[in-house]
Amino acid sequence: MIALPTRAGKPDSVLAKAVELARSVVLEVAEPADLGDHLGARAEGERVVTHHFACTRPGYPGWYWSVTMTRAKRGKDLTVNEVVLLPGEDAIVAPDWVPYKERLQPGDLSPGDLLPVEDEDVRLVPTYLVGDDPLDTPLDGDARAQVRRVAEDLGLGRVRTLSREGLDMAAERWYAGPGGPDSPLAKSAPDTCWSCGFLVRLNGSLSMRFGVCANGNANDDGRVVTFDHGCGAHSEVKLARKQQPVPLPDHVFDTLAEDELESF
């Protein structure tokens, strides 16, 4: 059963009786096999009525045809406003559209792909003016262009660097990721990265909590890890000393039976 929207008010009697007209309008845009039973009519306004028909088209369960009609006051001629196919509450519909930029995940970029960064990206601030500190007063377009020119003239390299917001966002993402303390690998580790000889510490404000793993045999090699992360490839991990093998006894000779040798 399709749950249809309801609206208070009694539909216009003339328009409500025009079921066959509404059905013929649907058949102008759909095949007869796609049109099912009449599901009812509801008032959209004064002398405006919408008829609903079940949709039997394959692949559209829970959808319905909607035909909206109207007429002039004391008029007998009916006018069709629109005919559309709409989803009901149980209809299968596409998920909400998400902009491409918001759908991107690490690893989605291919060689040659470009991902421009907006000028107003809160993660970045002009390097020439603030270095690694966030900028309190935002710059207008002319000021940003001047910063770029000065940075290029002086050979400063990066025009922008991470803002405080950008650093915090990166730290939260890394801490909650596979290189953080809550990953299954870290929870079963014998020790943390803080005491591992393969840890390369970061510079700046992130140096107190994060580093990069430099163990080529570890799963996190070349990746950012937290100090309280860990894995089984810790530099100080030692295997338990193996027990010496039990000496084997001397060979046993069978003195009760004679060996039969075949002659060649």
mmCIF file of all heavy atoms in Angstrom, residues 191-244:
data_model
loop_
_atom_site.group_PDB
_atom_site.id
_atom_site.type_symbol
_atom_site.label_atom_id
_atom_site.label_comp_id
_atom_site.label_asym_id
_atom_site.label_seq_id
_atom_site.Cartn_x
_atom_site.Cartn_y
_atom_site.Cartn_z
ATOM 1 N N ASP A 191 54.187 -2.571 23.006
ATOM 2 C CA ASP A 191 54.646 -1.279 23.514
ATOM 3 C C ASP A 191 54.177 -0.186 22.554
ATOM 4 O O ASP A 191 53.637 -0.471 21.483
ATOM 5 C CB ASP A 191 56.167 -1.258 23.652
ATOM 6 C CG ASP A 191 56.611 -0.348 24.795
ATOM 7 O OD1 ASP A 191 55.853 0.585 25.123
ATOM 8 O OD2 ASP A 191 57.703 -0.568 25.355
ATOM 9 N N THR A 192 54.394 1.078 22.926
ATOM 10 C CA THR A 192 53.921 2.205 22.121
ATOM 11 C C THR A 192 55.035 2.753 21.239
ATOM 12 O O THR A 192 56.222 2.484 21.444
ATOM 13 C CB THR A 192 53.391 3.323 23.026
ATOM 14 O OG1 THR A 192 54.462 3.817 23.841
ATOM 15 C CG2 THR A 192 52.268 2.805 23.906
ATOM 16 N N CYS A 193 54.615 3.571 20.270
ATOM 17 C CA CYS A 193 55.577 4.178 19.341
ATOM 18 C C CYS A 193 56.495 5.176 20.042
ATOM 19 O O CYS A 193 57.570 5.493 19.522
ATOM 20 C CB CYS A 193 54.837 4.873 18.206
ATOM 21 S SG CYS A 193 53.901 3.760 17.130
ATOM 22 N N TRP A 194 56.075 5.692 21.177
ATOM 23 C CA TRP A 194 56.881 6.693 21.879
ATOM 24 C C TRP A 194 58.280 6.174 22.193
ATOM 25 O O TRP A 194 59.258 6.923 22.153
ATOM 26 C CB TRP A 194 56.157 7.097 23.165
ATOM 27 C CG TRP A 194 56.907 8.129 23.964
ATOM 28 C CD1 TRP A 194 56.873 9.470 23.801
ATOM 29 C CD2 TRP A 194 57.819 7.874 25.038
ATOM 30 N NE1 TRP A 194 57.706 10.087 24.698
ATOM 31 C CE2 TRP A 194 58.299 9.120 25.481
ATOM 32 C CE3 TRP A 194 58.276 6.718 25.671
ATOM 33 C CZ2 TRP A 194 59.207 9.242 26.524
ATOM 34 C CZ3 TRP A 194 59.191 6.838 26.710
ATOM 35 C CH2 TRP A 194 59.642 8.091 27.127
ATOM 36 N N SER A 195 58.395 4.877 22.495
ATOM 37 C CA SER A 195 59.696 4.305 22.856
ATOM 38 C C SER A 195 60.327 3.513 21.721
ATOM 39 O O SER A 195 61.307 2.798 21.942
ATOM 40 C CB SER A 195 59.526 3.390 24.076
ATOM 41 O OG SER A 195 58.588 2.357 23.808
ATOM 42 N N CYS A 196 59.794 3.646 20.508
ATOM 43 C CA CYS A 196 60.306 2.877 19.371
ATOM 44 C C CYS A 196 61.402 3.650 18.658
ATOM 45 O O CYS A 196 61.280 4.861 18.397
ATOM 46 C CB CYS A 196 59.178 2.555 18.393
ATOM 47 S SG CYS A 196 59.692 1.561 16.980
ATOM 48 N N GLY A 197 62.495 2.972 18.332
ATOM 49 C CA GLY A 197 63.615 3.617 17.657
ATOM 50 C C GLY A 197 63.330 3.979 16.218
ATOM 51 O O GLY A 197 64.095 4.751 15.623
ATOM 52 N N PHE A 198 62.254 3.452 15.650
ATOM 53 C CA PHE A 198 61.922 3.751 14.261
ATOM 54 C C PHE A 198 61.022 4.973 14.121
ATOM 55 O O PHE A 198 60.621 5.307 13.009
ATOM 56 C CB PHE A 198 61.223 2.544 13.617
ATOM 57 C CG PHE A 198 62.103 1.347 13.461
ATOM 58 C CD1 PHE A 198 61.919 0.233 14.276
ATOM 59 C CD2 PHE A 198 63.120 1.318 12.525
ATOM 60 C CE1 PHE A 198 62.721 -0.885 14.138
ATOM 61 C CE2 PHE A 198 63.931 0.212 12.378
ATOM 62 C CZ PHE A 198 63.742 -0.900 13.188
ATOM 63 N N LEU A 199 60.686 5.634 15.223
ATOM 64 C CA LEU A 199 59.795 6.790 15.162
ATOM 65 C C LEU A 199 60.579 8.041 14.777
ATOM 66 O O LEU A 199 61.579 8.375 15.401
ATOM 67 C CB LEU A 199 59.118 7.005 16.519
ATOM 68 C CG LEU A 199 58.162 8.195 16.594
ATOM 69 C CD1 LEU A 199 56.899 7.930 15.790
ATOM 70 C CD2 LEU A 199 57.817 8.529 18.038
ATOM 71 N N VAL A 200 60.124 8.740 13.738
ATOM 72 C CA VAL A 200 60.684 10.031 13.326
ATOM 73 C C VAL A 200 59.699 11.105 13.746
ATOM 74 O O VAL A 200 58.562 11.141 13.261
ATOM 75 C CB VAL A 200 60.909 10.090 11.804
ATOM 76 C CG1 VAL A 200 61.468 11.446 11.397
ATOM 77 C CG2 VAL A 200 61.839 8.979 11.360
ATOM 78 N N ARG A 201 60.089 11.966 14.649
ATOM 79 C CA ARG A 201 59.172 12.952 15.203
ATOM 80 C C ARG A 201 58.935 14.093 14.227
ATOM 81 O O ARG A 201 59.809 14.472 13.462
ATOM 82 C CB ARG A 201 59.723 13.502 16.519
ATOM 83 C CG ARG A 201 60.001 12.418 17.539
ATOM 84 C CD ARG A 201 60.102 12.956 18.931
ATOM 85 N NE ARG A 201 60.292 11.888 19.899
ATOM 86 C CZ ARG A 201 59.987 11.989 21.167
ATOM 87 N NH1 ARG A 201 59.482 13.103 21.636
ATOM 88 N NH2 ARG A 201 60.184 10.975 22.000
ATOM 89 N N LEU A 202 57.706 14.638 14.290
ATOM 90 C CA LEU A 202 57.354 15.788 13.472
ATOM 91 C C LEU A 202 57.869 17.065 14.121
ATOM 92 O O LEU A 202 58.222 17.083 15.300
ATOM 93 C CB LEU A 202 55.833 15.869 13.301
ATOM 94 C CG LEU A 202 55.153 14.678 12.618
ATOM 95 C CD1 LEU A 202 53.651 14.933 12.523
ATOM 96 C CD2 LEU A 202 55.719 14.424 11.236
ATOM 97 N N ASN A 203 57.894 18.152 13.339
ATOM 98 C CA ASN A 203 58.267 19.455 13.864
ATOM 99 C C ASN A 203 57.007 20.279 14.137
ATOM 100 O O ASN A 203 55.904 19.908 13.748
ATOM 101 C CB ASN A 203 59.163 20.198 12.867
ATOM 102 C CG ASN A 203 60.522 19.557 12.736
ATOM 103 O OD1 ASN A 203 61.055 19.017 13.709
ATOM 104 N ND2 ASN A 203 61.092 19.592 11.541
ATOM 105 N N GLY A 204 57.184 21.400 14.783
ATOM 106 C CA GLY A 204 56.067 22.297 15.026
ATOM 107 C C GLY A 204 55.176 21.840 16.167
ATOM 108 O O GLY A 204 55.567 21.054 17.030
ATOM 109 N N SER A 205 53.942 22.347 16.140
ATOM 110 C CA SER A 205 53.029 22.096 17.242
ATOM 111 C C SER A 205 52.562 20.645 17.309
ATOM 112 O O SER A 205 52.050 20.216 18.342
ATOM 113 C CB SER A 205 51.810 23.012 17.115
ATOM 114 O OG SER A 205 51.138 22.785 15.884
ATOM 115 N N LEU A 206 52.745 19.871 16.239
ATOM 116 C CA LEU A 206 52.346 18.461 16.252
ATOM 117 C C LEU A 206 53.441 17.545 16.771
ATOM 118 O O LEU A 206 53.231 16.337 16.876
ATOM 119 C CB LEU A 206 51.938 18.018 14.837
ATOM 120 C CG LEU A 206 50.734 18.735 14.220
ATOM 121 C CD1 LEU A 206 50.508 18.248 12.795
ATOM 122 C CD2 LEU A 206 49.485 18.516 15.058
ATOM 123 N N SER A 207 54.587 18.101 17.104
ATOM 124 C CA SER A 207 55.729 17.266 17.499
ATOM 125 C C SER A 207 55.546 16.613 18.863
ATOM 126 O O SER A 207 56.259 15.667 19.188
ATOM 127 C CB SER A 207 57.004 18.111 17.512
ATOM 128 O OG SER A 207 56.896 19.161 18.468
ATOM 129 N N MET A 208 54.599 17.106 19.670
ATOM 130 C CA MET A 208 54.405 16.562 21.006
ATOM 131 C C MET A 208 53.486 15.342 21.023
ATOM 132 O O MET A 208 53.326 14.713 22.062
ATOM 133 C CB MET A 208 53.818 17.639 21.923
ATOM 134 C CG MET A 208 54.690 18.885 22.027
ATOM 135 S SD MET A 208 56.353 18.512 22.627
ATOM 136 C CE MET A 208 55.981 17.950 24.279
ATOM 137 N N ARG A 209 52.917 15.003 19.864
ATOM 138 C CA ARG A 209 51.961 13.904 19.871
ATOM 139 C C ARG A 209 52.104 12.961 18.680
ATOM 140 O O ARG A 209 51.702 11.807 18.767
ATOM 141 C CB ARG A 209 50.539 14.460 19.901
ATOM 142 C CG ARG A 209 49.460 13.400 19.963
ATOM 143 C CD ARG A 209 48.097 13.999 20.188
ATOM 144 N NE ARG A 209 47.955 14.598 21.504
ATOM 145 C CZ ARG A 209 46.818 15.096 21.974
ATOM 146 N NH1 ARG A 209 45.735 15.085 21.210
ATOM 147 N NH2 ARG A 209 46.759 15.627 23.184
ATOM 148 N N PHE A 210 52.745 13.410 17.584
ATOM 149 C CA PHE A 210 52.766 12.610 16.364
ATOM 150 C C PHE A 210 54.183 12.436 15.837
ATOM 151 O O PHE A 210 55.080 13.243 16.090
ATOM 152 C CB PHE A 210 51.905 13.262 15.272
ATOM 153 C CG PHE A 210 50.460 13.390 15.629
ATOM 154 C CD1 PHE A 210 49.971 14.579 16.157
ATOM 155 C CD2 PHE A 210 49.585 12.335 15.453
ATOM 156 C CE1 PHE A 210 48.640 14.714 16.487
ATOM 157 C CE2 PHE A 210 48.247 12.457 15.776
ATOM 158 C CZ PHE A 210 47.773 13.646 16.294
ATOM 159 N N GLY A 211 54.339 11.360 15.084
ATOM 160 C CA GLY A 211 55.578 11.085 14.387
ATOM 161 C C GLY A 211 55.296 10.256 13.149
ATOM 162 O O GLY A 211 54.145 9.954 12.832
ATOM 163 N N VAL A 212 56.351 9.884 12.439
ATOM 164 C CA VAL A 212 56.233 9.067 11.235
ATOM 165 C C VAL A 212 56.999 7.772 11.453
ATOM 166 O O VAL A 212 58.139 7.789 11.948
ATOM 167 C CB VAL A 212 56.774 9.807 10.000
ATOM 168 C CG1 VAL A 212 56.733 8.903 8.765
ATOM 169 C CG2 VAL A 212 55.977 11.077 9.753
ATOM 170 N N CYS A 213 56.381 6.660 11.116
ATOM 171 C CA CYS A 213 57.036 5.360 11.259
ATOM 172 C C CYS A 213 58.040 5.165 10.139
ATOM 173 O O CYS A 213 57.745 5.399 8.966
ATOM 174 C CB CYS A 213 55.990 4.244 11.237
ATOM 175 S SG CYS A 213 56.699 2.580 11.337
ATOM 176 N N ALA A 214 59.269 4.739 10.489
ATOM 177 C CA ALA A 214 60.334 4.525 9.515
ATOM 178 C C ALA A 214 60.783 3.070 9.480
ATOM 179 O O ALA A 214 61.886 2.776 9.012
ATOM 180 C CB ALA A 214 61.521 5.441 9.824
ATOM 181 N N ASN A 215 59.944 2.172 9.959
ATOM 182 C CA ASN A 215 60.270 0.742 9.941
ATOM 183 C C ASN A 215 59.696 0.134 8.669
ATOM 184 O O ASN A 215 58.481 0.014 8.517
ATOM 185 C CB ASN A 215 59.702 0.051 11.176
ATOM 186 C CG ASN A 215 60.153 -1.397 11.294
ATOM 187 O OD1 ASN A 215 60.697 -1.970 10.344
ATOM 188 N ND2 ASN A 215 59.937 -1.998 12.453
ATOM 189 N N GLY A 216 60.574 -0.244 7.739
ATOM 190 C CA GLY A 216 60.115 -0.792 6.472
ATOM 191 C C GLY A 216 59.373 -2.095 6.594
ATOM 192 O O GLY A 216 58.685 -2.504 5.656
ATOM 193 N N ASN A 217 59.478 -2.773 7.730
ATOM 194 C CA ASN A 217 58.770 -4.033 7.933
ATOM 195 C C ASN A 217 57.422 -3.853 8.622
ATOM 196 O O ASN A 217 56.692 -4.826 8.798
ATOM 197 C CB ASN A 217 59.626 -4.992 8.765
ATOM 198 C CG ASN A 217 60.894 -5.387 8.043
ATOM 199 O OD1 ASN A 217 60.905 -5.514 6.821
ATOM 200 N ND2 ASN A 217 61.980 -5.557 8.796
ATOM 201 N N ALA A 218 57.101 -2.635 9.023
ATOM 202 C CA ALA A 218 55.868 -2.376 9.764
ATOM 203 C C ALA A 218 54.739 -1.978 8.816
ATOM 204 O O ALA A 218 54.980 -1.442 7.724
ATOM 205 C CB ALA A 218 56.083 -1.274 10.802
ATOM 206 N N ASN A 219 53.514 -2.211 9.250
ATOM 207 C CA ASN A 219 52.349 -1.816 8.448
ATOM 208 C C ASN A 219 52.248 -0.307 8.285
ATOM 209 O O ASN A 219 51.710 0.181 7.294
ATOM 210 C CB ASN A 219 51.066 -2.330 9.096
ATOM 211 C CG ASN A 219 50.975 -3.837 9.087
ATOM 212 O OD1 ASN A 219 51.836 -4.517 8.546
ATOM 213 N ND2 ASN A 219 49.924 -4.373 9.689
ATOM 214 N N ASP A 220 52.749 0.456 9.259
ATOM 215 C CA ASP A 220 52.618 1.909 9.246
ATOM 216 C C ASP A 220 53.838 2.605 8.667
ATOM 217 O O ASP A 220 53.993 3.823 8.850
ATOM 218 C CB ASP A 220 52.384 2.416 10.678
ATOM 219 C CG ASP A 220 51.066 1.928 11.260
ATOM 220 O OD1 ASP A 220 50.047 2.048 10.571
ATOM 221 O OD2 ASP A 220 51.077 1.408 12.386
ATOM 222 N N ASP A 221 54.697 1.906 7.977
ATOM 223 C CA ASP A 221 55.901 2.521 7.418
ATOM 224 C C ASP A 221 55.542 3.713 6.533
ATOM 225 O O ASP A 221 54.728 3.606 5.621
ATOM 226 C CB ASP A 221 56.680 1.492 6.589
ATOM 227 C CG ASP A 221 57.926 2.084 5.966
ATOM 228 O OD1 ASP A 221 58.643 2.827 6.662
ATOM 229 O OD2 ASP A 221 58.181 1.812 4.770
ATOM 230 N N GLY A 222 56.146 4.872 6.835
ATOM 231 C CA GLY A 222 55.889 6.090 6.072
ATOM 232 C C GLY A 222 54.596 6.791 6.418
ATOM 233 O O GLY A 222 54.239 7.759 5.739
ATOM 234 N N ARG A 223 53.898 6.356 7.464
ATOM 235 C CA ARG A 223 52.626 6.952 7.845
ATOM 236 C C ARG A 223 52.733 7.652 9.196
ATOM 237 O O ARG A 223 53.577 7.295 10.019
ATOM 238 C CB ARG A 223 51.533 5.888 7.920
ATOM 239 C CG ARG A 223 51.297 5.161 6.592
ATOM 240 C CD ARG A 223 50.283 4.058 6.763
ATOM 241 N NE ARG A 223 50.049 3.323 5.516
ATOM 242 C CZ ARG A 223 49.272 2.263 5.401
ATOM 243 N NH1 ARG A 223 48.628 1.797 6.467
ATOM 244 N NH2 ARG A 223 49.129 1.658 4.237
ATOM 245 N N VAL A 224 51.828 8.638 9.394
ATOM 246 C CA VAL A 224 51.785 9.354 10.669
ATOM 247 C C VAL A 224 51.158 8.460 11.732
ATOM 248 O O VAL A 224 50.121 7.834 11.505
ATOM 249 C CB VAL A 224 50.983 10.660 10.531
ATOM 250 C CG1 VAL A 224 50.848 11.350 11.884
ATOM 251 C CG2 VAL A 224 51.652 11.589 9.530
ATOM 252 N N VAL A 225 51.816 8.391 12.889
ATOM 253 C CA VAL A 225 51.307 7.610 14.013
ATOM 254 C C VAL A 225 51.352 8.471 15.269
ATOM 255 O O VAL A 225 52.151 9.396 15.377
ATOM 256 C CB VAL A 225 52.127 6.321 14.229
ATOM 257 C CG1 VAL A 225 51.967 5.373 13.052
ATOM 258 C CG2 VAL A 225 53.600 6.645 14.448
ATOM 259 N N THR A 226 50.481 8.163 16.218
ATOM 260 C CA THR A 226 50.520 8.842 17.502
ATOM 261 C C THR A 226 51.549 8.180 18.406
ATOM 262 O O THR A 226 51.925 7.024 18.197
ATOM 263 C CB THR A 226 49.144 8.791 18.176
ATOM 264 O OG1 THR A 226 48.787 7.417 18.403
ATOM 265 C CG2 THR A 226 48.080 9.440 17.292
ATOM 266 N N PHE A 227 51.997 8.919 19.395
ATOM 267 C CA PHE A 227 52.979 8.351 20.322
ATOM 268 C C PHE A 227 52.419 7.153 21.065
ATOM 269 O O PHE A 227 53.168 6.248 21.447
ATOM 270 C CB PHE A 227 53.436 9.419 21.327
ATOM 271 C CG PHE A 227 54.350 10.453 20.723
ATOM 272 C CD1 PHE A 227 54.760 11.558 21.461
ATOM 273 C CD2 PHE A 227 54.806 10.337 19.426
ATOM 274 C CE1 PHE A 227 55.609 12.508 20.917
ATOM 275 C CE2 PHE A 227 55.646 11.284 18.872
ATOM 276 C CZ PHE A 227 56.043 12.379 19.612
ATOM 277 N N ASP A 228 51.104 7.137 21.298
ATOM 278 C CA ASP A 228 50.503 6.015 22.021
ATOM 279 C C ASP A 228 49.961 4.943 21.079
ATOM 280 O O ASP A 228 49.196 4.080 21.491
ATOM 281 C CB ASP A 228 49.408 6.492 22.972
ATOM 282 C CG ASP A 228 48.444 7.469 22.319
ATOM 283 O OD1 ASP A 228 48.628 7.780 21.125
ATOM 284 O OD2 ASP A 228 47.513 7.931 23.007
ATOM 285 N N HIS A 229 50.332 5.018 19.803
ATOM 286 C CA HIS A 229 50.060 3.927 18.868
ATOM 287 C C HIS A 229 51.121 2.849 19.089
ATOM 288 O O HIS A 229 52.051 3.018 19.869
ATOM 289 C CB HIS A 229 50.106 4.457 17.436
ATOM 290 C CG HIS A 229 49.810 3.429 16.383
ATOM 291 N ND1 HIS A 229 48.589 2.822 16.261
ATOM 292 C CD2 HIS A 229 50.596 2.898 15.409
ATOM 293 C CE1 HIS A 229 48.615 1.973 15.251
ATOM 294 N NE2 HIS A 229 49.826 1.987 14.721
ATOM 295 N N GLY A 230 50.972 1.734 18.422
ATOM 296 C CA GLY A 230 51.967 0.683 18.565
ATOM 297 C C GLY A 230 51.684 -0.468 17.636
ATOM 298 O O GLY A 230 50.586 -0.581 17.067
ATOM 299 N N CYS A 231 52.691 -1.329 17.472
ATOM 300 C CA CYS A 231 52.515 -2.529 16.651
ATOM 301 C C CYS A 231 53.549 -3.568 17.082
ATOM 302 O O CYS A 231 54.408 -3.308 17.939
ATOM 303 C CB CYS A 231 52.643 -2.210 15.154
ATOM 304 S SG CYS A 231 54.320 -1.839 14.619
ATOM 305 N N GLY A 232 53.483 -4.711 16.471
ATOM 306 C CA GLY A 232 54.388 -5.786 16.833
ATOM 307 C C GLY A 232 55.786 -5.637 16.284
ATOM 308 O O GLY A 232 56.663 -6.458 16.589
ATOM 309 N N ALA A 233 56.030 -4.573 15.473
ATOM 310 C CA ALA A 233 57.368 -4.355 14.907
ATOM 311 C C ALA A 233 58.157 -3.330 15.717
ATOM 312 O O ALA A 233 59.071 -2.685 15.187
ATOM 313 C CB ALA A 233 57.246 -3.910 13.459
ATOM 314 N N HIS A 234 57.831 -3.161 16.982
ATOM 315 C CA HIS A 234 58.542 -2.228 17.866
ATOM 316 C C HIS A 234 60.018 -2.590 17.915
ATOM 317 O O HIS A 234 60.414 -3.764 17.898
ATOM 318 C CB HIS A 234 57.924 -2.295 19.266
ATOM 319 C CG HIS A 234 58.347 -1.177 20.154
ATOM 320 N ND1 HIS A 234 59.558 -1.159 20.797
ATOM 321 C CD2 HIS A 234 57.694 -0.038 20.531
ATOM 322 C CE1 HIS A 234 59.651 -0.069 21.521
ATOM 323 N NE2 HIS A 234 58.520 0.638 21.378
ATOM 324 N N SER A 235 60.865 -1.561 17.964
ATOM 325 C CA SER A 235 62.311 -1.793 17.890
ATOM 326 C C SER A 235 62.846 -2.589 19.071
ATOM 327 O O SER A 235 63.914 -3.224 18.963
ATOM 328 C CB SER A 235 63.051 -0.450 17.813
ATOM 329 O OG SER A 235 62.798 0.322 18.991
ATOM 330 N N GLU A 236 62.158 -2.589 20.198
ATOM 331 C CA GLU A 236 62.663 -3.264 21.390
ATOM 332 C C GLU A 236 61.960 -4.584 21.672
ATOM 333 O O GLU A 236 62.121 -5.147 22.763
ATOM 334 C CB GLU A 236 62.510 -2.338 22.608
ATOM 335 C CG GLU A 236 63.096 -0.951 22.408
ATOM 336 C CD GLU A 236 64.532 -0.996 21.898
ATOM 337 O OE1 GLU A 236 65.324 -1.809 22.409
ATOM 338 O OE2 GLU A 236 64.856 -0.221 20.969
ATOM 339 N N VAL A 237 61.184 -5.056 20.711
ATOM 340 C CA VAL A 237 60.498 -6.337 20.912
ATOM 341 C C VAL A 237 61.511 -7.470 20.824
ATOM 342 O O VAL A 237 62.328 -7.526 19.906
ATOM 343 C CB VAL A 237 59.389 -6.529 19.858
ATOM 344 C CG1 VAL A 237 58.883 -7.957 19.877
ATOM 345 C CG2 VAL A 237 58.247 -5.566 20.136
ATOM 346 N N LYS A 238 61.469 -8.361 21.787
ATOM 347 C CA LYS A 238 62.353 -9.529 21.806
ATOM 348 C C LYS A 238 61.498 -10.787 21.861
ATOM 349 O O LYS A 238 60.524 -10.857 22.604
ATOM 350 C CB LYS A 238 63.290 -9.501 23.032
ATOM 351 C CG LYS A 238 64.156 -8.248 23.134
ATOM 352 C CD LYS A 238 65.145 -8.161 21.987
ATOM 353 C CE LYS A 238 66.026 -6.916 22.134
ATOM 354 N NZ LYS A 238 66.959 -6.760 20.996
ATOM 355 N N LEU A 239 61.912 -11.771 21.092
ATOM 356 C CA LEU A 239 61.209 -13.041 21.141
ATOM 357 C C LEU A 239 61.634 -13.820 22.370
ATOM 358 O O LEU A 239 62.774 -13.696 22.845
ATOM 359 C CB LEU A 239 61.512 -13.861 19.878
ATOM 360 C CG LEU A 239 60.970 -13.303 18.561
ATOM 361 C CD1 LEU A 239 61.397 -14.196 17.405
ATOM 362 C CD2 LEU A 239 59.453 -13.200 18.602
ATOM 363 N N ALA A 240 60.719 -14.590 22.903
ATOM 364 C CA ALA A 240 61.066 -15.438 24.041
ATOM 365 C C ALA A 240 62.146 -16.428 23.633
ATOM 366 O O ALA A 240 62.143 -16.972 22.519
ATOM 367 C CB ALA A 240 59.825 -16.173 24.543
ATOM 368 N N ARG A 241 63.087 -16.655 24.532
ATOM 369 C CA ARG A 241 64.202 -17.547 24.225
ATOM 370 C C ARG A 241 63.680 -18.967 23.981
ATOM 371 O O ARG A 241 62.935 -19.511 24.793
ATOM 372 C CB ARG A 241 65.198 -17.561 25.392
ATOM 373 C CG ARG A 241 66.522 -18.178 25.018
ATOM 374 C CD ARG A 241 67.521 -17.910 26.099
ATOM 375 N NE ARG A 241 68.844 -18.366 25.691
ATOM 376 C CZ ARG A 241 69.937 -18.224 26.434
ATOM 377 N NH1 ARG A 241 69.837 -17.640 27.624
ATOM 378 N NH2 ARG A 241 71.087 -18.638 25.994
ATOM 379 N N LYS A 242 64.051 -19.503 22.850
ATOM 380 C CA LYS A 242 63.576 -20.834 22.502
ATOM 381 C C LYS A 242 64.232 -21.893 23.379
ATOM 382 O O LYS A 242 65.409 -21.788 23.729
ATOM 383 C CB LYS A 242 63.881 -21.133 21.026
ATOM 384 C CG LYS A 242 63.115 -20.254 20.062
ATOM 385 C CD LYS A 242 63.401 -20.663 18.634
ATOM 386 C CE LYS A 242 62.611 -19.802 17.660
ATOM 387 N NZ LYS A 242 62.885 -20.181 16.257
ATOM 388 N N GLN A 243 63.463 -22.905 23.706
ATOM 389 C CA GLN A 243 63.994 -24.008 24.493
ATOM 390 C C GLN A 243 64.901 -24.878 23.632
ATOM 391 O O GLN A 243 64.698 -25.023 22.431
ATOM 392 C CB GLN A 243 62.852 -24.854 25.052
ATOM 393 C CG GLN A 243 61.955 -24.117 26.031
ATOM 394 C CD GLN A 243 60.853 -24.999 26.543
ATOM 395 O OE1 GLN A 243 60.669 -26.110 26.064
ATOM 396 N NE2 GLN A 243 60.139 -24.506 27.543
ATOM 397 N N GLN A 244 65.945 -25.406 24.273
ATOM 398 C CA GLN A 244 66.854 -26.293 23.562
ATOM 399 C C GLN A 244 66.121 -27.579 23.192
ATOM 400 O O GLN A 244 65.326 -28.093 23.974
ATOM 401 C CB GLN A 244 68.072 -26.607 24.442
ATOM 402 C CG GLN A 244 68.955 -25.392 24.730
ATOM 403 C CD GLN A 244 69.585 -24.851 23.455
ATOM 404 O OE1 GLN A 244 69.846 -25.616 22.522
ATOM 405 N NE2 GLN A 244 69.820 -23.550 23.432
#
